Amino acid sequence: SELQSPCNLVCRLLLEKKQTNQYYCILIFSIYIFFNDTATTEIYTLSLHDALPIWNQNKTKEAESMEREALRMRKKLLGNNDIDVAKTFLNLANVQYLNGDFAGAEENFSESLRILRQRLTPEHPYLAVVQNNLATLLSKKGEYAAAAEMYSATLEMRKKTLKEHPFVAYSMTQLAIALTANGELERAKGLLEEALAMEGKLLPRESEDVANTLAALGVVLAKKGDWLGAQTNQQEALAIRLKLLGSNNPDVTDSLDAISLLSIFRGDLGDAEQILKRALAIDDATPQGSHLNAVPVLEHLAWILEQKGDSTGSTAWREKAVTFRSLHGDYSETPWSEGIYDLAYILCAGNKFAQAESLLLRVAEHFQKSPGVSLSLRRRCNEQMVRFYEAWDKAEPNSGKKAKASEWNGIR
């Protein structure tokens, strides 16, 4: 997303024509031109070299097979602790992540990181790349505290080596997203404002990184009750994404879902439903379909139909969301996504605490009845319940909700 150049446009055109070898060569060339540094160019093209053509043809299973064979050969020729072996562990983990094998990806990201920590200096930029990927995986699994810790370490590394740089701003945004999910809104807001200011100096306003930061800030502002600010940021993020990525892109799905929540806050369920159906059409139009981005869209549609008394339609959307999640390995250990918590936040901000409680208790009941749910997700559920009842008590003092918060705080 940092490359705003004619080379990038040529790459897109070649990719549309399936000319992936030419795409790969021009992409590397454009990275080199942008950074004018061979070391940085190598860092940001290492994970492309083995399987890029196959990924671009949506054959990630074949890509994984190729990476496994490359890993076997390199370990045989170079030993278990060579840097090239670590790079191949990283490539394999990236493909496994795309395939939804989060357990395998986490294991191989960690193995890559172990080797690189032995062989490279503590502030080497390649370590930051691997740490960032592992943090993203942890975030996808709902382990936001662990993800935030790793994002924070990556940010500090990049600050020391890069000072003011798009990758520093990117790390700020990633850390802020994890903090937002973990309920640390003030810290997240400060980081996003700092990232946006840095991107304003270094990048065109119409760039993907700026859109990502605007969208993340919009989420924070919504959760803090600043609906006008949230709407402004989300609409600008959507406009940028539509211009740069086109209408059929998962990031556009995310923007539309976020905007639909603002319509729900205003009580305009009809408008929210239309926006969500537009977002869902994007997933249907993609080659692979069944993106995780569509899961919260389906959950929010299910809730809207439930409010309208359409239990059959609501159940159908909810079951489809569960089906989508089942395609993504360990991430499906709970049938609900972060979108449920986002919706609960919106309902609380509109003083619709009873509706929010119904949503959150449904999730909590699943966690209590399902022994396979990880300890980290159980803890996260309990933390959300504590925050929820504390917010309800603050809005309605002496309503008995403080005791409920204490009750959930005691559950482990």
Side-chain angles (χ1 to χ4, degrees), residues 126-148:
Y126 201 84
L127 282 171
V129 173
V130 182
Q131 281 188 174
N132 184 80
N133 288 8
L134 180 54
T136 300
L137 174 62
L138 293 172
S139 187
K140 284 289 186 184
K141 292 178 66 180
E143 299 177 21
Y144 295 106

Side-chain angles (χ1 to χ4, degrees), residues 258-330:
I259 291 170
S260 76
L261 290 176
L262 301 179
S263 294
I264 290 173
F265 171 76
R266 294 195 306 270
D268 192 345
L269 298 188
D271 183 58
E273 184 177 0
Q274 292 305 310
I275 293 170
L276 289 168
K277 286 181 176 178
R278 178 184 168 192
L280 194 58
I282 294 172
D283 184 75
D284 292 337
T286 55
Q288 291 174 304
S290 303
H291 287 288
L292 282 173
N293 305 63
V295 171
V297 174
L298 292 164
E299 291 169 340
H300 297 156
L301 275 170
W303 181 84
I304 288 173
L305 292 185
E306 188 176 27
Q307 304 312 300
K308 294 169 69 174
D310 183 355
S311 59
T312 301
S314 176
T315 299
W317 287 127
R318 190 171 290 116
E319 288 178 350
K320 190 171 184 179
V322 173
T323 299
F324 275 23
R325 288 177 64 79
S326 70
L327 301 174
H328 293 273
D330 291 345

Side-chain angles (χ1 to χ4, degrees), residues 38 48 66 72 93 96 116 120 124 127 131 133 135 164 219 230 233 280 306-307 320-321 325 345 387 391:
T38 54
L48 298 173
M66 286 180 63
R72 184 192 68 78
Q96 289 173 314
L116 294 173
L120 301 175
H124 194 284
L127 282 171
Q131 281 188 174
N133 288 8
E164 277 202 341
V219 171
N233 280 277
L280 194 58
E306 188 176 27
Q307 304 312 300
K320 190 171 184 179
R325 288 177 64 79
Y345 258 106
R387 291 194 191 108

Side-chain angles (χ1 to χ4, degrees), residues 47-315:
S47 61
L48 298 173
H49 72 280
D50 282 328
L52 177 67
I54 290 181
W55 292 352
N56 287 333
Q57 295 172 30
N58 298 320
K59 296 179 180 178
T60 52
K61 291 297 182 183
E62 291 183 26
E64 182 173 344
S65 177
M66 286 180 63
E67 293 296 355
R68 288 188 181 280
E69 178 62 16
L71 179 62
R72 184 192 68 78
M73 293 175 63
R74 284 173 179 160
K75 288 173 74 173
K76 181 177 180 180
L77 294 171
L78 304 172
N80 292 334
N81 294 315
D82 188 84
I83 289 179
D84 279 343
V85 172
K87 294 172 184 175
T88 311
F89 271 119
L90 174 61
N91 291 337
L92 175 58
N94 285 334
V95 180
Q96 289 173 314
Y97 178 88
L98 291 174
N99 285 336
D101 180 6
F102 290 165
E106 183 174 0
E107 179 181 347
N108 287 311
F109 279 137
S110 299
E111 186 63 14
S112 177
L113 198 57
R114 179 193 67 79
I115 297 170
L116 294 173
R117 281 173 172 166
Q118 291 179 359
R119 303 299 303 274
L120 301 175
T121 59
E123 294 174 1
H124 194 284
Y126 201 84
L127 282 171
V129 173
V130 182
Q131 281 188 174
N132 184 80
N133 288 8
L134 180 54
T136 300
L137 174 62
L138 293 172
S139 187
K140 284 289 186 184
K141 292 178 66 180
E143 299 177 21
Y144 295 106
E149 185 177 346
M150 191 155 287
Y151 278 134
S152 184
T154 302
L155 175 59
E156 291 307 310
M157 289 170 64
R158 285 178 167 167
K159 278 183 174 179
K160 288 180 181 178
T161 56
L162 299 173
K163 310 301 181 187
E164 277 202 341
H165 192 280
F167 295 152
V168 175
Y170 172 81
S171 289
M172 288 179 180
T173 299
Q174 294 297 97
L175 172 57
I177 291 171
L179 292 172
T180 301
N182 210 40
E184 300 179 56
L185 299 182
E186 281 300 326
R187 188 180 168 197
K189 181 173 179 285
L191 280 166
L192 290 167
E193 289 172 342
E194 188 178 354
L196 204 55
M198 189 179 295
E199 288 166 346
K201 298 177 185 177
L202 302 171
L203 297 173
R205 184 69 175 184
E206 292 184 338
S207 67
E208 288 180 51
D209 279 1
V210 171
N212 294 340
T213 305
L214 287 168
L217 183 56
V219 171
V220 172
L221 293 176
K223 290 184 175 183
K224 290 175 65 65
D226 181 359
W227 305 106
L228 179 60
Q231 183 82 19
T232 300
N233 280 277
Q234 293 293 0
Q235 290 288 3
E236 185 177 0
L238 174 61
I240 293 171
R241 286 169 169 173
L242 284 170
K243 183 172 182 178
L244 296 180
L245 305 173
S247 58
N248 293 329
N249 185 278
D251 286 347
V252 176
T253 302
D254 289 343
S255 284
L256 292 170
D257 183 55
I259 291 170
S260 76
L261 290 176
L262 301 179
S263 294
I264 290 173
F265 171 76
R266 294 195 306 270
D268 192 345
L269 298 188
D271 183 58
E273 184 177 0
Q274 292 305 310
I275 293 170
L276 289 168
K277 286 181 176 178
R278 178 184 168 192
L280 194 58
I282 294 172
D283 184 75
D284 292 337
T286 55
Q288 291 174 304
S290 303
H291 287 288
L292 282 173
N293 305 63
V295 171
V297 174
L298 292 164
E299 291 169 340
H300 297 156
L301 275 170
W303 181 84
I304 288 173
L305 292 185
E306 188 176 27
Q307 304 312 300
K308 294 169 69 174
D310 183 355
S311 59
T312 301
S314 176
T315 299

